[in-house]
Each structure stands twice: as C-alpha cells, then as structure tokens.
Amino acid sequence: MSVDAVLRSEWTKIRSVRPVLWSLPLAAALLVGIGAGVTGSVGSEEADGPGFDPVQLGYYGILFAHVVVIAFAVLVVGNEYQHGAIRVSLAAVPRRGLLYAAKLTVGAVLALVAGAVASLATFLLSQRLLGEHGAAFGDAGTVRAIVVGALYFPLLAVMCMGFTAMLRSLMLSMGVLVPVLFLVSPVLAEIPGLQELAWYLPDRAGQYGLRLDPAAAPYGPLTGVLVMAVWAGAAAVGGWLTLRARDA
C-alpha cells in the first residue's frame, strides 16, 4: 500500500469508532468550557491577590482535557490490540514502520487541529471574561502560551500512542497513563523535595509554558516544551522498537 492509502486507512479507523472520533472535540470543549467557568467566577479580590496569573487560570481546564487526550491516543493504538485487529493491519501493511508512522501522524495531526482551535478559543474567551483583569493578545507571554497550548495536545497524544504501542494493551495503558499524569504528577508537585522531579514530568513541563510568569520553574517555557517533546519522541521510538521486535 502507498503512504497515502495507509494514511487514509488510519483516518478511516479513527472515524469509524465513535468514542475515538468524539474524544478530541470533547477535550477541546473541556479546555474552553472549564477555563470559561473558572475565569467567569473570578472577582476583584481574587484578581488583585498575589500570584494571580490570568493566562494560567484560563487554561485550568487542561488538567481535565488531557485525560481525554490520553484516552484518544490510547484508543487509536490500543483498540487494534484489544480486538486483535493489529494482525489484520499488519497483513494489509507488512511494512510495520509505515503503519506505525501513519498511525502516529494521523493521531498527532488531529490532536494538533483540536489543540490549536481549543487553545486560541480558551485564551480569547477566558481573557474576555476576566475583563480588566485579563491579558490582551500580544502582551508578553500571551502568544507563547497560545502556541504551547496548541502543541500540548499533539505532544501528549504522540507520547501516549508510543507508550500504548510498547505496552500492547488498551486497559494497561489507560491504567498506567491516567493515574500517573492525572494524579501522581500533581501530587509530586506539592511534596517538598519532589517538586524538582515533577518539573521534568511531561505534563508539568508542557503546562509550564502556559504561565505568564516563568520564574517558578528551573527552566524557561520553551525548554518545558522541549522536555515534553523528548518524552514524546522517546515513547514513539520505544513503541516502534516494540512493534518491530515482537509478533502481533
């Protein structure tokens, strides 16, 4: 099969499974909706308090949206292992590298589209709701936050797709990724002595660029994106090595 045919095949697989198809719109809706709900309830007292960051507050929904992105990524890869369809896919596309690259590419592109739309909408709506306490587009750090918000979904998706390919199990992948990124990471960030470790976890590193004030972390916002990209790249390579070395 040609590259174009394999890409279209992967898109058809995603489109034909309703939970996978609607997961990214749901993640985008959570990011925008929760951000709007939180910023819409902020009063002058909270806005004038120490450490108030209007942009970071607007992206509060990413803590919940990324769980849905994890589910999307795990389903894209894990569904085929769950139902044994990976054997059929490998029979149709014997070039495992092509099949794997197409799967990651389609998943990442869809996540990027959802992330870009959601990030821009989140910023514009949340800052409008904050009124005089919000940040204006073009203020220092705002464009960077929008770009980082757009990149967060695809980087997270690639990482989770790679881990799922390594674990070769839908349930195991969900059982590992969701607790670690939704529960363990935020807890570590609050424990003295372990906060430094939490800064280098993928979700924390990626979310750091959503702050206007970059003074809280031991590296710059762009470095945070790079840390997340390294996690995504390592997971993608690990998934490829597993797929290449093991039988379906």
Side-chain angles (χ1 to χ4, degrees), residues 77-224:
V77 175
N79 258 343
E80 296 207 61
Y81 286 102
Q82 182 81 358
H83 303 292
I86 187 66
R87 298 183 182 89
V88 178
S89 296
L90 290 174
V93 188
R95 295 165 58 189
R96 297 189 176 202
L98 175 58
L99 175 67
Y100 182 66
K103 194 176 294 292
L104 263 62
T105 299
V106 173
V109 169
L110 292 174
L112 177 60
V113 172
V117 172
S119 182
L120 181 59
T122 296
F123 175 83
L124 294 176
L125 181 57
S126 63
Q127 301 315 302
R128 182 178 180 83
L129 289 171
L130 285 170
E132 62 178 336
H133 304 295
F137 182 83
D139 287 353
T142 57
V143 174
R144 178 249 300 156
I146 295 171
V147 173
V148 171
L151 293 175
Y152 187 88
F153 278 18
L155 288 175
L156 180 64
V158 169
M159 186 190 76
C160 293
M161 286 188 286
F163 271 114
T164 304
M166 283 190 282
L167 296 176
R168 297 158 54 89
S169 167
L170 189 155
M171 297 305 296
L172 180 59
S173 300
M174 289 292 290
V176 171
L177 290 168
V178 171
V180 169
L181 296 178
F182 186 64
L183 298 174
V184 175
S185 178
V187 169
L188 286 179
E190 300 300 325
I191 299 177
L194 295 178
Q195 293 174 335
E196 292 77 9
L197 173 63
W199 281 119
Y200 293 95
L201 294 176
D203 57 321
R204 288 283 150 178
Q207 292 169 21
Y208 175 54
L210 302 175
R211 298 168 179 245
L212 283 184
D213 179 14
Y219 48 69
L222 296 182
T223 302

Side-chain angles (χ1 to χ4, degrees), residues 26-45:
L26 175 59
L30 285 172
L31 180 58
V32 178
I34 293 175
V38 171
T39 53
S41 63
V42 171
S44 298
E45 184 177 348

Side-chain angles (χ1 to χ4, degrees), residues 52-98:
F52 177 73
D53 187 325
V55 173
Q56 183 184 17
L57 185 66
Y59 282 92
Y60 186 80
I62 205 164
L63 300 173
F64 304 92
H66 79 185
V67 176
V68 184
V69 177
I70 293 169
F72 163 78
V74 171
L75 286 169
V76 167
V77 175
N79 258 343
E80 296 207 61
Y81 286 102
Q82 182 81 358
H83 303 292
I86 187 66
R87 298 183 182 89
V88 178
S89 296
L90 290 174
V93 188
R95 295 165 58 189
R96 297 189 176 202
L98 175 58

